[in-house]
Amino acid sequence: MTHPLLDLAPLSAERFAAIEDRVARLLSTEQDVVIMQGEALLPLEGAIRGAAGPGTTALNVITGPYGQTFGDWLRDCGATVYDLAVPFHTAVTADQIRDALAEHPEIDFVSLVHAEAATGNTNPVAEIGEVVRAHGALFYLDAVASVGAEPVLPDAWGVDLCVIGAQKAMGGPAGVSAVSVSERAWARMAANPAAPRRSYLSLLDWKERWVDAGRKVLLHAPAQLEMLALEACVDRIEAEGLETVMARHAAAAAATRAGVLALGTGLEPYVHAASDAAPVATTLRTPAGVDASELVAAALAVDPSLPLAAGGGALASSMIRVNHYGPAAGAATVDACLTALRAALAASA
């Protein structure tokens, strides 16, 4: 039996490195970019465990569920952690970061999620980066949901560890991810005796055996199909133009917010201010007495292809997420989602 996805020639180290270079260009970064062979949780956890340890004092910003996870990892590493939590319907501000750093001047690590697709907010990383850089702390950023939907600029923003994934706004595979690493971050990891070594979580293994060795021999067999899918994803972004891709996402988000208010059904944007709303996905608050999970189920029963989901955990009964990202970032998707939600609401009345 033959199949175009089987019996492929091995992916060479040269091609692997070329894909890394194209991802680096997507981020406009001169930092080392390492493509990790797993979903974005791999470099997200690996970067924290590599750079944080018992001597670390961290400011962990919580604007959604991933910020909560990062705090758990930091504490598990032995770091002293100060959480800065803001309501999920808003964004953190640079002034709040500045105040937290002034209150705890010993902080040397700041962790932040750029856009929380789960809650629909996005944070002003450029302004926050200035504050963190002035303080001298290492800056760790989860840009998995934001890359492709809005600018992600590690060098310009002073981000030392910037993790991205391709499965959302980039419209690519979930099985590979990438992290850009500054020289400061590499030095912090090298000085950390608790940093993972000879481990799938180890960024230092990639540094020593891949980056420093001239990217000639891969550490292990690459995830071939996922790497080819990532390459195709970058092809598509380059052909369309990154600015155009981001503009599509911004337009879809704006149309969703405006459209849901125009429906007059009681649905409303979950994130109050449009300036705090992420372009990658729009979250909606259901009217009193309307269960979000049931409403989404009714809409999907008519059209299972719609990118609709109920909120996670405690938000499952009150939040709906319109995942207008990747190829779905367009007017047709927004119209279809809002039409289906209106019909589902009418049927439940």
Side-chain angles (χ1 to χ4, degrees), residues 59-74:
L59 174 65
N60 179 54
V61 183
I62 301 175
T63 59
Y66 279 99
Q68 294 170 329
T69 297
F70 300 159
D72 292 339
W73 286 340
L74 286 161

Side-chain angles (χ1 to χ4, degrees), residues 201-216:
L201 286 172
S202 177
L203 283 169
L204 283 176
D205 286 356
W206 282 95
K207 165 72 168 169
E208 294 180 1
R209 296 170 55 193
W210 173 246
V211 177
D212 291 348
R215 299 193 297 178
K216 302 296 184 184

Side-chain angles (χ1 to χ4, degrees), residues 36 39-50 66 69-70 73 109 112-113 140-144 161-164 177-179 201 203:
M36 303 289 284
E39 198 271 337
L41 283 173
L42 174 62
L44 285 169
E45 182 174 359
I48 281 182
R49 295 195 181 277
Y66 279 99
T69 297
F70 300 159
W73 286 340
F109 186 98
L112 174 71
V113 178
Y140 163 101
L141 184 69
D142 171 356
V144 174
L161 292 159
C162 182
V163 177
I164 67 168
S177 47
V179 54
L201 286 172
L203 283 169

Side-chain angles (χ1 to χ4, degrees), residues 266-291:
L267 285 171
E268 60 184 24
Y270 183 85
V271 177
H272 293 180
S275 59
D276 293 340
V280 68
T282 298
T283 47
L284 308 175
R285 191 185 306 272
T286 54
V290 176
D291 185 275

Side-chain angles (χ1 to χ4, degrees), residues 20-346:
E20 284 185 335
D21 291 341
R22 294 175 71 185
V23 171
R25 288 196 295 273
L26 189 71
L27 298 174
S28 299
T29 184
E30 298 296 323
Q31 297 179 5
D32 291 324
V33 169
V34 176
I35 294 180
M36 303 289 284
Q37 304 297 279
E39 198 271 337
L41 283 173
L42 174 62
L44 285 169
E45 182 174 359
I48 281 182
R49 295 195 181 277
T56 301
T57 303
L59 174 65
N60 179 54
V61 183
I62 301 175
T63 59
Y66 279 99
Q68 294 170 329
T69 297
F70 300 159
D72 292 339
W73 286 340
L74 286 161
R75 290 181 176 89
D76 190 54
C77 290
T80 299
V81 182
Y82 296 100
D83 288 324
L84 172 57
V86 302
F88 289 176
H89 63 258
T90 186
V92 72
T93 67
D95 284 342
Q96 288 174 305
I97 301 289
R98 184 180 292 106
D99 290 346
L101 294 176
E103 184 177 356
H104 301 286
E106 69 276 20
I107 287 172
D108 60 4
F109 186 98
V110 175
S111 53
L112 174 71
V113 178
H114 187 182
E116 286 267 13
T119 51
N121 54 29
T122 190
N123 294 301
V125 182
E127 291 86 351
I128 292 169
E130 291 183 14
V131 174
V132 175
R133 183 165 51 241
H135 185 79
L138 206 72
F139 192 12
Y140 163 101
L141 184 69
D142 171 356
V144 174
S146 54
V147 65
E150 55 188 305
V152 176
L153 302 168
D155 294 9
W157 297 344
V159 179
D160 296 287
L161 292 159
C162 182
V163 177
I164 67 168
Q167 69 268 30
K168 288 189 169 65
M170 288 177 67
V176 290
S177 47
V179 54
S180 67
V181 188
S182 72
E183 288 301 322
R184 289 202 322 150
W186 283 133
R188 179 76 68 93
M189 284 187 268
N192 179 11
R197 301 306 306 271
R198 285 156 291 283
S199 162
Y200 209 59
L201 286 172
S202 177
L203 283 169
L204 283 176
D205 286 356
W206 282 95
K207 165 72 168 169
E208 294 180 1
R209 296 170 55 193
W210 173 246
V211 177
D212 291 348
R215 299 193 297 178
K216 302 296 184 184
V217 179
L218 288 160
L219 274 64
H220 44 70
Q224 169 113 326
L225 296 180
E226 286 80 2
M227 287 297 295
L228 294 176
L230 176 60
E231 184 179 50
C233 163
V234 175
D235 285 342
R236 187 165 58 185
I237 292 172
E238 290 177 348
E240 184 177 358
L242 179 58
E243 293 295 328
T244 303
V245 174
M246 292 190 294
R248 275 199 297 107
H249 285 81
T256 304
R257 289 180 67 87
V260 76
L261 292 174
L263 287 179
T265 57
L267 285 171
E268 60 184 24
Y270 183 85
V271 177
H272 293 180
S275 59
D276 293 340
V280 68
T282 298
T283 47
L284 308 175
R285 191 185 306 272
T286 54
V290 176
D291 185 275
S293 294
E294 294 177 1
L295 191 64
V296 168
L300 293 178
V302 176
D303 185 354
S305 70
L306 294 175
L308 292 171
L315 299 173
S317 63
S318 60
M319 178 193 283
I320 294 171
R321 194 170 77 211
V322 183
N323 294 318
H324 48 64
Y325 53 68
T333 298
V334 173
D335 289 346
C337 288
L338 295 182
T339 298
L341 289 174
R342 181 175 59 185
L345 277 166

